[in-house]
Amino acid sequence: MRDRVKILVLDIKDMGFVGRKLHEFYCLDRTDARRLSDKALASLLDELHARTLAWLAEGKPLPKGWAGQTFAELLEPRVKRPKPKGHKGRKGKKR
């Protein structure tokens, strides 16, 4: 049986950034975020793990905030609903 354990280490600032991004998508009375399923979250974390290992394999230290920023970059396309084609934004009266 193959080992399936993967370890990610995020510092407190990275966790704060991740929490803030999740809050931006799922709180504040927003209704435009897609549900983040357990499979989608597992895929996101697998990708973050792979990118972390690739970065470290190059012998470079991880910059501060890298994990949180990368998590956010991976999160957005998974939860943000795409705008319909031809959508040009809200049309309203100028004040």
Side-chain angles (χ1 to χ4, degrees), residues 1-89:
M1 177 187 255
R2 249 178 79 194
D3 287 340
R4 302 193 82 197
V5 175
K6 296 178 183 176
I7 297 174
L8 282 170
V9 178
L10 298 131
D11 71 13
I12 192 70
K13 289 183 180 180
D14 283 321
M15 290 303 297
F17 188 79
V18 166
R20 187 170 56 248
K21 278 297 174 187
L22 290 168
H23 179 75
E24 287 172 9
F25 280 114
Y26 292 107
C27 298
L28 307 174
D29 296 325
R30 289 191 58 170
T31 59
D32 60 341
R34 289 183 283 199
R35 182 176 161 266
L36 185 61
S37 69
D38 57 343
K39 288 181 182 180
L41 180 59
S43 172
L44 186 156
L45 293 173
D46 284 345
E47 177 67 20
L48 180 59
H49 183 262
R51 288 187 184 194
T52 302
L53 291 181
W55 188 281
L56 294 173
E58 292 180 19
K60 301 187 289 188
L62 293 170
K64 284 188 176 190
W66 182 87
Q69 290 285 338
T70 304
F71 181 94
E73 289 171 15
L74 295 169
L75 176 68
E76 187 166 347
R78 286 174 167 86
V79 299
K80 193 172 184 180
R81 292 195 188 275
K83 291 182 181 177
K85 289 185 178 186
H87 180 70
K88 295 190 167 94

